[in-house]
PDB file of all heavy atoms in Angstrom:
ATOM      1  N   ILE A 363      -7.125 -13.773  73.108  1.00  0.00           N
ATOM      2  CA  ILE A 363      -6.109 -14.791  73.390  1.00  0.00           C
ATOM      3  C   ILE A 363      -6.708 -16.170  73.131  1.00  0.00           C
ATOM      4  O   ILE A 363      -7.802 -16.475  73.617  1.00  0.00           O
ATOM      5  CB  ILE A 363      -5.677 -14.764  74.884  1.00  0.00           C
ATOM      6  CG1 ILE A 363      -5.369 -13.339  75.364  1.00  0.00           C
ATOM      7  CG2 ILE A 363      -4.563 -15.753  75.145  1.00  0.00           C
ATOM      8  CD1 ILE A 363      -4.022 -12.805  75.045  1.00  0.00           C
ATOM      9  N   VAL A 364      -5.971 -16.996  72.417  1.00  0.00           N
ATOM     10  CA  VAL A 364      -6.387 -18.397  72.239  1.00  0.00           C
ATOM     11  C   VAL A 364      -5.313 -19.271  72.884  1.00  0.00           C
ATOM     12  O   VAL A 364      -4.141 -19.190  72.503  1.00  0.00           O
ATOM     13  CB  VAL A 364      -6.500 -18.766  70.743  1.00  0.00           C
ATOM     14  CG1 VAL A 364      -7.012 -20.206  70.602  1.00  0.00           C
ATOM     15  CG2 VAL A 364      -7.425 -17.807  70.009  1.00  0.00           C
ATOM     16  N   GLU A 365      -5.688 -20.033  73.883  1.00  0.00           N
ATOM     17  CA  GLU A 365      -4.716 -20.954  74.501  1.00  0.00           C
ATOM     18  C   GLU A 365      -5.473 -22.201  74.942  1.00  0.00           C
ATOM     19  O   GLU A 365      -6.078 -22.227  76.021  1.00  0.00           O
ATOM     20  CB  GLU A 365      -3.992 -20.286  75.672  1.00  0.00           C
ATOM     21  CG  GLU A 365      -2.968 -21.176  76.368  1.00  0.00           C
ATOM     22  CD  GLU A 365      -2.109 -22.017  75.430  1.00  0.00           C
ATOM     23  OE1 GLU A 365      -1.130 -21.503  74.915  1.00  0.00           O
ATOM     24  OE2 GLU A 365      -2.420 -23.218  75.215  1.00  0.00           O
ATOM     25  N   PRO A 366      -5.460 -23.238  74.099  1.00  0.00           N
ATOM     26  CA  PRO A 366      -6.253 -24.435  74.410  1.00  0.00           C
ATOM     27  C   PRO A 366      -5.767 -25.223  75.621  1.00  0.00           C
ATOM     28  O   PRO A 366      -6.523 -26.056  76.138  1.00  0.00           O
ATOM     29  CB  PRO A 366      -6.124 -25.287  73.139  1.00  0.00           C
ATOM     30  CG  PRO A 366      -5.164 -24.611  72.231  1.00  0.00           C
ATOM     31  CD  PRO A 366      -4.760 -23.299  72.820  1.00  0.00           C
ATOM     32  N   ASN A 367      -4.542 -24.970  76.090  1.00  0.00           N
ATOM     33  CA  ASN A 367      -3.994 -25.812  77.167  1.00  0.00           C
ATOM     34  C   ASN A 367      -4.148 -25.244  78.567  1.00  0.00           C
ATOM     35  O   ASN A 367      -3.668 -25.843  79.523  1.00  0.00           O
ATOM     36  CB  ASN A 367      -2.517 -26.106  76.894  1.00  0.00           C
ATOM     37  CG  ASN A 367      -2.362 -26.895  75.618  1.00  0.00           C
ATOM     38  OD1 ASN A 367      -2.948 -27.951  75.464  1.00  0.00           O
ATOM     39  ND2 ASN A 367      -1.628 -26.354  74.672  1.00  0.00           N
ATOM     40  N   ILE A 368      -4.771 -24.062  78.685  1.00  0.00           N
ATOM     41  CA  ILE A 368      -5.026 -23.555  80.042  1.00  0.00           C
ATOM     42  C   ILE A 368      -6.497 -23.166  80.170  1.00  0.00           C
ATOM     43  O   ILE A 368      -7.130 -22.766  79.194  1.00  0.00           O
ATOM     44  CB  ILE A 368      -4.116 -22.364  80.433  1.00  0.00           C
ATOM     45  CG1 ILE A 368      -4.306 -21.193  79.470  1.00  0.00           C
ATOM     46  CG2 ILE A 368      -2.659 -22.758  80.493  1.00  0.00           C
ATOM     47  CD1 ILE A 368      -3.625 -19.921  79.955  1.00  0.00           C
ATOM     48  N   ALA A 369      -7.024 -23.304  81.404  1.00  0.00           N
ATOM     49  CA  ALA A 369      -8.459 -23.079  81.615  1.00  0.00           C
ATOM     50  C   ALA A 369      -8.790 -21.589  81.674  1.00  0.00           C
ATOM     51  O   ALA A 369      -9.812 -21.158  81.176  1.00  0.00           O
ATOM     52  CB  ALA A 369      -8.907 -23.768  82.899  1.00  0.00           C
ATOM     53  N   GLN A 370      -7.924 -20.806  82.325  1.00  0.00           N
ATOM     54  CA  GLN A 370      -8.219 -19.377  82.418  1.00  0.00           C
ATOM     55  C   GLN A 370      -6.960 -18.545  82.258  1.00  0.00           C
ATOM     56  O   GLN A 370      -5.849 -19.031  82.494  1.00  0.00           O
ATOM     57  CB  GLN A 370      -8.908 -19.055  83.734  1.00  0.00           C
ATOM     58  CG  GLN A 370      -8.140 -19.494  84.946  1.00  0.00           C
ATOM     59  CD  GLN A 370      -9.033 -19.493  86.173  1.00  0.00           C
ATOM     60  OE1 GLN A 370     -10.196 -19.876  86.104  1.00  0.00           O
ATOM     61  NE2 GLN A 370      -8.481 -19.064  87.301  1.00  0.00           N
ATOM     62  N   LEU A 371      -7.168 -17.291  81.878  1.00  0.00           N
ATOM     63  CA  LEU A 371      -6.013 -16.421  81.638  1.00  0.00           C
ATOM     64  C   LEU A 371      -5.263 -16.168  82.933  1.00  0.00           C
ATOM     65  O   LEU A 371      -5.877 -16.041  84.001  1.00  0.00           O
ATOM     66  CB  LEU A 371      -6.484 -15.076  81.065  1.00  0.00           C
ATOM     67  CG  LEU A 371      -7.044 -15.087  79.650  1.00  0.00           C
ATOM     68  CD1 LEU A 371      -7.431 -13.673  79.225  1.00  0.00           C
ATOM     69  CD2 LEU A 371      -6.033 -15.659  78.662  1.00  0.00           C
ATOM     70  N   PRO A 372      -3.930 -16.048  82.865  1.00  0.00           N
ATOM     71  CA  PRO A 372      -3.171 -15.714  84.065  1.00  0.00           C
ATOM     72  C   PRO A 372      -3.516 -14.312  84.567  1.00  0.00           C
ATOM     73  O   PRO A 372      -4.000 -13.469  83.800  1.00  0.00           O
ATOM     74  CB  PRO A 372      -1.711 -15.783  83.610  1.00  0.00           C
ATOM     75  CG  PRO A 372      -1.733 -15.867  82.133  1.00  0.00           C
ATOM     76  CD  PRO A 372      -3.093 -16.267  81.693  1.00  0.00           C
ATOM     77  N   ALA A 373      -3.240 -14.084  85.848  1.00  0.00           N
ATOM     78  CA  ALA A 373      -3.665 -12.858  86.525  1.00  0.00           C
ATOM     79  C   ALA A 373      -3.270 -11.596  85.762  1.00  0.00           C
ATOM     80  O   ALA A 373      -4.063 -10.668  85.629  1.00  0.00           O
ATOM     81  CB  ALA A 373      -3.072 -12.843  87.927  1.00  0.00           C
ATOM     82  N   ALA A 374      -2.048 -11.575  85.218  1.00  0.00           N
ATOM     83  CA  ALA A 374      -1.558 -10.347  84.575  1.00  0.00           C
ATOM     84  C   ALA A 374      -2.409  -9.959  83.372  1.00  0.00           C
ATOM     85  O   ALA A 374      -2.350  -8.812  82.926  1.00  0.00           O
ATOM     86  CB  ALA A 374      -0.108 -10.535  84.148  1.00  0.00           C
ATOM     87  N   LEU A 375      -3.191 -10.871  82.830  1.00  0.00           N
ATOM     88  CA  LEU A 375      -3.999 -10.552  81.645  1.00  0.00           C
ATOM     89  C   LEU A 375      -5.459 -10.263  81.977  1.00  0.00           C
ATOM     90  O   LEU A 375      -6.168  -9.666  81.172  1.00  0.00           O
ATOM     91  CB  LEU A 375      -3.943 -11.728  80.657  1.00  0.00           C
ATOM     92  CG  LEU A 375      -2.695 -11.822  79.775  1.00  0.00           C
ATOM     93  CD1 LEU A 375      -2.611 -13.173  79.108  1.00  0.00           C
ATOM     94  CD2 LEU A 375      -2.705 -10.718  78.727  1.00  0.00           C
TER      95      LEU A 375
END
Side-chain angles (χ1 to χ4, degrees):
I363 312 278
V364 183
E365 180 42 83
N367 297 304
I368 59 170
Q370 56 196 40
L371 291 181
L375 280 166

